[in-house]
Amino acid sequence: MWAPTGVTVSSTLEAILADDYLGDVAALSIEDVRARRAECKDIETGLSYLRRLVQGRLDVVAAEQGRRSDGGEGDDLEGLISRLPDLLAGSTRTEGTGRLPSSIGTGTVDDALQDELDGIITDSRLGQPGELTDDELREAAASLAAFEQKVSGHRRSLFDRIDALEAELTRRYKSGEASVDSLLS
């Protein structure tokens, strides 16, 4: 049920996160700069979606821990589903970069990271939180929190790349190396 440590990300995300991904960004063609920016944004959207999945699982685990500490009765699946709107509403505002999503959707969700999340605790196990032991809940909470930090770190790195690519595009437009007309042709 628990994820092995050291699960790697896909080769695409690994390549984007590599120190040499941008290389000499000024030497890239404008098409390459735009393509890399689009690729980074798509992967970031996928990581954002994955992060929301992690936060939802964390909310369910925390609610079950709270229910147990308060001595409440366990939920069946129907009871859990009826409480989900309240459980998930608690994490609608979190600290972060303050960036609004540039697109709506799931983007490209990294399969290795999705597998790692599922390895921590699957939706089916989470659907019956009363069947988890206290130790399993604690371990799931700790693993999910660590995984959320990992995903957030990847997102921050992608934002750095997106910012650098957008700065290069801005530089080219300001210097006249690129023109808005080139977007239309």
Side-chain angles (χ1 to χ4, degrees), residues 1 60-69 72-81 83 87 121-137 140:
M1 175 170 107
V60 172
V61 167
E64 178 62 16
Q65 288 175 314
R67 182 201 62 77
R68 288 181 187 187
S69 70
E73 290 191 30
D75 280 331
D76 57 6
L77 184 57
E78 186 176 313
L80 176 62
I81 290 171
R83 290 187 322 126
L87 296 177
I121 188 161
T122 62
D123 289 337
S124 60
R125 286 284 287 162
L126 199 57
Q128 299 294 332
E131 294 180 8
L132 298 171
T133 67
D134 290 343
D135 287 342
E136 288 174 322
L137 282 173

Side-chain angles (χ1 to χ4, degrees), residues 128-176:
Q128 299 294 332
E131 294 180 8
L132 298 171
T133 67
D134 290 343
D135 287 342
E136 288 174 322
L137 282 173
R138 274 191 297 280
E139 188 174 340
S143 296
L144 286 167
F147 184 72
E148 191 275 335
Q149 290 299 308
K150 175 181 177 176
V151 172
S152 292
H154 291 333
R155 285 184 70 219
R156 280 189 298 280
S157 295
L158 282 167
F159 287 137
D160 291 343
R161 283 146 180 80
I162 291 167
D163 290 346
L165 292 163
E166 288 180 347
E168 176 59 20
L169 289 170
T170 300
R171 184 195 67 75
R172 289 182 189 196
Y173 285 115
K174 283 183 177 180
S175 71

Side-chain angles (χ1 to χ4, degrees), residues 4-5 8 12 15-16 41 49 52 66 77 88 101 105 109 113 130 137 158 179:
T5 57
T8 59
T12 301
I16 292 171
K41 284 183 173 186
Y49 173 75
R52 289 189 304 272
L77 184 57
L88 300 177
V109 178
L113 290 173
L137 282 173
L158 282 167
S179 69

Side-chain angles (χ1 to χ4, degrees), residues 1-11 13-14 17 47 50 110-120 143 146-147 150-151 154:
M1 175 170 107
W2 309 112
T5 57
V7 174
T8 59
V9 296
S10 72
S11 57
L13 181 57
E14 187 175 332
L17 295 177
L47 289 174
L50 187 64
D110 186 276
D111 290 336
L113 290 173
Q114 179 66 56
D115 290 345
E116 187 172 351
L117 174 59
D118 290 338
I120 294 170
S143 296
F147 184 72
K150 175 181 177 176
V151 172
H154 291 333

Side-chain angles (χ1 to χ4, degrees), residues 77-115:
L77 184 57
E78 186 176 313
L80 176 62
I81 290 171
S82 70
R83 290 187 322 126
L84 278 178
D86 292 331
L87 296 177
L88 300 177
S91 64
T92 55
R93 293 194 51 91
T94 61
E95 292 183 27
T97 62
R99 293 182 188 230
L100 294 173
S102 60
S103 66
I104 296 182
T106 59
T108 300
V109 178
D110 186 276
D111 290 336
L113 290 173
Q114 179 66 56
D115 290 345

